[in-house]
Amino acid sequence: MCLNAANEVVNEAFRNNRCAFPDMARTIEATMAKTTFDALPSLEALLQTDAEARAIARGLLGATK
């Protein structure tokens, strides 16, 4: 879940010239390392993880620019 969320954020940033191509993978990797992991998440936990990952990725992109 966090991989998809981070990927969507960096993909949008790349398309809007707010993220360089090499930074995409680094941002996704850092987002995955910082996002809460739940091996058997409920739907609510999945939605929370998605929101958390998006916020982390956006924050990382903002910190690099």
Side-chain angles (χ1 to χ4, degrees):
M1 180 58 86
C2 72
L3 172 64
N4 289 336
N7 184 54
E8 289 178 11
V9 170
V10 297
N11 190 291
E12 179 183 5
F14 176 74
R15 287 182 284 123
N16 291 312
N17 296 316
R18 294 188 335 248
C19 177
F21 186 78
D23 294 331
M24 293 174 76
R26 286 190 284 267
T27 302
I28 292 169
E29 183 178 11
T31 299
M32 291 179 65
K34 293 179 180 212
T35 304
T36 304
F37 176 75
D38 186 344
L40 296 171
S42 64
L43 177 58
E44 183 177 324
L46 284 172
L47 295 173
Q48 288 176 334
T49 300
D50 181 85
E52 178 185 11
R54 289 173 192 277
I56 290 169
R58 287 185 186 111
L60 290 169
L61 288 170
T64 61
K65 297 291 173 196

